[in-house]
Each structure stands twice: as structure tokens, then as C-alpha cells.
Amino acid sequence: MQFRHLHLDVFWGSELAYQRMPGVIATCVGYTQGKVEKPTYNEVCSETTGHTEAIQVTYDENEVTYKELLDLFWERLGGDATRLNQAGNDFGTQYRHGIYCHTSEQLQLAQQSLQEQQTKFRGQIVTEVESATVFWPAEEYHQQYLQKGGRFGVPQSAEKGATETIRCYG
């Protein structure tokens, strides 16, 4: 069995979406593409570290393809693809969206995927497609946040194939 990691931007709601995807082995939220070692959430939110919030996805490529992971990324991102430094109602450089790749093959597929998506938008897609830099796991309270109950203490299912609407803050 082979595993690959994939860094995608957008934190809690997308993490839960990937947890639900058959073939995804594990997820971890954290920070990537920055210049500071072991940044904290508050440091990343200060917009001084250069990091973006990201999800590290570990998956079994015998069960799910990289293309399927990318398809879910674009589905979750939706119209935000053309909005710089914005994910939903959240603004700031830590909310810039990107696909951060670990191999040249992933990079090529991600660039191709972006080009395909661009045909669906009038505006220019501003999603970064780059080689991944160091990924720093976020603090424990951020991990599987929505599955644990989120802000409102109401757990959401991470069961494979679950279809309930994801509430981004719980």
C-alpha cells in the first residue's frame, strides 16, 4: 500500500469533508508555506509568518485518486477560487488557498486541474499551486475540531460516506 500527503488550504470544514472520503487514511490541520518554524495559530493570524492554514491529507492511492482529492478541493472551494486571501467569510493571508504538492507528478496534475477549473470562471483563479514546504501541525484543539463538536459543542460525523451538511464552525 502506498500513501501520499496532500496539502490543501481551508481548515475545519474541508478537513471533515476529507475525513469522510473513502480512501483517506488520516487528516491533520496545520500551517504551511511560511518562513517561521513551529508557528502558533496566533502568529499565523498576525499575517507575519507567511503561512497559510492547510490540511495534510494522507490517502491510499489504491482507494482514491489524486484527481478525486483535487475534485473535492475545488468543490469545497467553490467561488472563493477567484478571491485572494479569502475562504468563506474569513479574510487574511492565512486564508489564501492552495494546492501544495510533494511530487512533480502531483504538481503537474494540480496545474492541469487548475486550468480545467479556470474554464468555469469569468475571473482569474488565484489558488496557489506550488511545491509543498514544511507542514507544521496546528495545536491539538484544532485537530478534528468539527468531529469533536466545534464552537457549539455539537459533534459532526466523520464517517466514510457521511452526507450531512458540514457546519464550518460546529
Side-chain angles (χ1 to χ4, degrees):
M1 191 178 299
Q2 292 187 328
F3 300 100
R4 296 268 194 264
H5 290 90
L6 171 71
H7 295 294
L8 299 169
D9 186 40
V10 189
F11 236 22
W12 300 323
S14 291
E15 180 190 33
L16 186 59
Y18 280 102
Q19 286 174 296
R20 291 175 172 183
M21 184 176 231
V24 170
I25 307 302
T27 60
C28 179
V29 297
Y31 318 110
T32 192
Q33 307 307 105
K35 59 185 185 284
V36 174
E37 289 190 18
K38 300 180 184 174
T40 66
Y41 179 70
N42 288 337
E43 289 172 332
V44 171
C45 288
S46 75
E47 299 188 46
T48 61
T49 68
H51 289 87
T52 186
E53 292 185 2
I55 306 161
Q56 186 180 64
V57 178
T58 303
Y59 65 100
D60 180 347
E61 48 189 304
N62 293 316
E63 293 186 41
V64 64
T65 66
Y66 188 73
K67 182 184 181 322
E68 290 170 312
L69 296 169
L70 292 171
D71 289 347
L72 181 57
F73 171 82
W74 293 113
E75 178 185 321
R76 295 285 310 162
L77 188 58
D80 287 342
T82 61
R83 298 184 186 116
L84 185 63
N85 300 330
Q86 182 178 351
N89 294 324
D90 296 320
F91 298 87
T93 57
Q94 74 273 26
Y95 297 113
R96 71 186 187 275
H97 30 90
I99 302 167
Y100 306 112
C101 308
H102 290 264
T103 67
S104 58
E105 179 187 14
Q106 285 181 350
L107 189 60
Q108 182 180 4
L109 290 169
Q111 290 168 336
Q112 182 180 357
S113 176
L114 185 144
Q115 291 170 357
E116 290 168 6
Q117 290 297 314
Q118 184 59 63
T119 65
K120 300 175 184 178
F121 291 91
R122 291 179 123 183
Q124 185 68 32
I125 290 179
V126 294
T127 301
E128 296 175 341
V129 175
E130 302 175 353
S131 293
T133 62
V134 176
F135 176 85
W136 302 100
E139 296 80 352
E140 181 56 36
Y141 69 91
H142 285 295
Q143 306 301 327
Q144 292 79 46
Y145 182 74
L146 297 179
Q147 186 180 359
K148 295 174 187 173
R151 182 182 295 171
F152 304 112
V154 180
Q156 297 181 57
S157 175
E159 241 180 82
K160 298 297 180 199
T163 59
E164 297 86 8
T165 299
I166 294 174
R167 300 177 313 277
C168 287
Y169 295 99

